[in-house]
Amino acid sequence: MNHLLKMMDLTAGDITEILNLADQLKYEQKHGIAHPRLAGKTLGMIFEKASTRTRVSFEVGMYQLGGLPIFLSSDDLQIGRGEPVQDTARVLSRYLSGIMIRTYKQSEVEALAANGTIPVINGLTDYSHPCQVLADLMTIREYKGALEGLKLCFIGDGNNMMNSLIVGGLKMKMEVAVACPSGYKPAQDVLDFAVTHPAFSMTNDPAEAARGADVVITDVWASMGEEAEAGKRRKDFAGYQINAEVLNAAKPDAVVQHCLPAHRGEEITEEVFESHAKEIFDEAENRLHAQKAVLVKLLGK
């Protein structure tokens, strides 16, 4: 493992190793045990999309590991003025220990990794959100004690979250059921991977996908950069909501996850969100611990 670009690149062993290390780092942080494993290391954080959780969790994580995080807005970099991404990669490789990038196109993340000489971490693209899904898997394991054999249900858009949850869940031997409107299916290469697994199913019926689920997950109907489509998407996604009826189809002790920010009344009701708020904000906290594990695994070599 030289980079974290997408869930497809990770083996089940890689995921287990990251989750185990994340658990250990969380324990140490909660008990005041210092762990400056990245002292002297620097992480450049390139943001082409705004962020709350990604920026703060990576910045705090590098500080707790003894390293230096450097915030790099695309407005302040030459990449925002047209410098080829491969040139940015070659320059930043001379200064930094690693790069985290939150951007629109997966191809930009892949190009950074291909042209640089330091580890690259995908902080979000339209195709993949591996850091969030590692935090989700960590949280599910905390609540359920294991991953194998559990049923994971995702309701909503077939974008980065659905793509990454399908791959991550199946690799960890979970049953994965997704519900999405026609025209919003996951990426074709993810479907090609998923259909080889009998534990995968896809439907247009949210209640059917949630039936017997141990964990039910959703995301906003219109992600960042899709604001112009918000009106159309509200119509297309009507009914693709975690509400009492859908949750009643899941197991009584089902966990609810949401990567945030949440639009109450759209993809999730206020009642369901608030009744499962502890799980959702544990998930948000685990971004910190899961990403610290990724940083140690990649930058601590």
Side-chain angles (χ1 to χ4, degrees):
M1 179 178 169
N2 297 318
H3 307 280
L4 177 59
L5 308 182
K6 55 186 181 297
M7 292 301 293
M8 200 77 83
D9 297 338
L10 299 179
T11 66
D14 290 331
I15 296 171
T16 299
E17 185 181 342
I18 290 168
L19 298 187
N20 290 345
L21 180 55
D23 287 346
Q24 180 182 342
L25 293 171
K26 182 173 184 176
Y27 174 87
E28 291 176 2
Q29 194 258 329
K30 295 290 184 185
H31 290 80
I33 302 170
H35 42 239
R37 300 183 184 208
L38 297 183
K41 299 295 179 76
T42 52
L43 177 72
M45 306 189 306
I46 302 174
F47 282 86
E48 294 193 78
K49 282 185 172 181
S51 166
T52 298
R53 280 153 291 278
T54 299
R55 177 177 179 180
V56 176
S57 57
F58 267 107
E59 206 160 303
V60 171
M62 275 301 285
Y63 172 77
Q64 292 180 353
L65 291 168
L68 173 69
I70 303 174
F71 176 76
L72 301 167
S73 164
S74 60
D75 293 336
D76 301 323
L77 290 171
Q78 295 299 329
I79 196 171
R81 300 173 57 201
E83 181 175 68
V85 67
Q86 55 266 39
D87 290 354
T88 300
R90 287 186 285 186
V91 169
L92 293 183
S93 293
R94 304 295 181 103
Y95 304 144
L96 302 168
S97 308
I99 297 171
M100 187 286 298
I101 179 168
R102 180 179 168 92
T103 187
Y104 293 93
K105 296 179 181 177
Q106 180 72 18
S107 58
E108 291 184 22
V109 178
E110 303 276 352
L112 265 181
N115 290 281
T117 57
I118 54 177
V120 174
I121 299 170
N122 181 347
L124 175 73
T125 66
D126 290 351
Y127 171 78
S128 187
H129 202 356
C131 293
Q132 179 65 56
V133 169
L134 288 169
D136 294 354
L137 294 174
M138 178 183 178
T139 310
I140 296 165
R141 200 172 73 160
E142 283 180 342
Y143 274 82
K144 298 296 183 181
L147 295 174
E148 184 174 350
L150 297 181
K151 181 176 180 179
L152 181 158
C153 164
F154 181 88
I155 297 169
D157 193 6
N159 66 358
N160 45 30
M161 281 301 298
M162 185 183 284
N163 290 336
S164 302
L165 283 166
I166 289 172
V167 175
L170 291 175
K171 286 196 171 188
M172 298 312 289
K173 299 183 178 178
M174 302 175 80
E175 180 182 351
V176 178
V178 300
C180 57
S182 299
Y184 295 93
K185 293 180 181 178
Q188 188 58 50
D189 67 321
V190 172
L191 281 177
D192 292 343
F193 167 81
V195 295
T196 64
H197 294 73
F200 173 73
S201 62
M202 184 168 66
T203 177
N204 298 123
D205 183 346
E208 180 185 332
R211 189 168 300 124
D214 297 280
V215 55
V216 184
I217 307 176
T218 189
D219 189 8
V220 294
W221 290 342
S223 298
M224 195 176 300
E226 297 170 339
E227 291 82 359
E229 304 175 17
K232 179 180 184 302
R233 282 174 170 263
R234 285 192 189 95
K235 295 178 182 175
D236 293 344
F237 282 89
Y240 288 83
Q241 179 188 68
I242 301 182
N243 52 36
E245 181 183 352
V246 168
L247 209 52
N248 283 339
K251 289 181 179 175
D253 61 347
V255 170
V256 173
Q257 300 279 263
H258 193 304
C259 58
L260 302 174
H263 292 180
R264 296 165 174 79
E266 292 190 356
E267 76 278 1
I268 191 168
T269 63
E270 174 83 16
E271 176 190 15
V272 169
F273 184 91
E274 289 302 332
S275 61
H276 290 271
K278 183 177 185 310
E279 301 146 27
I280 292 169
F281 288 100
D282 283 343
E283 174 193 14
E285 177 188 334
N286 283 340
R287 288 287 303 275
L288 171 67
H289 309 297
Q291 289 165 188
K292 284 170 67 179
V294 170
L295 289 166
V296 170
K297 188 170 171 61
L298 290 177
L299 275 60
K301 296 178 180 176

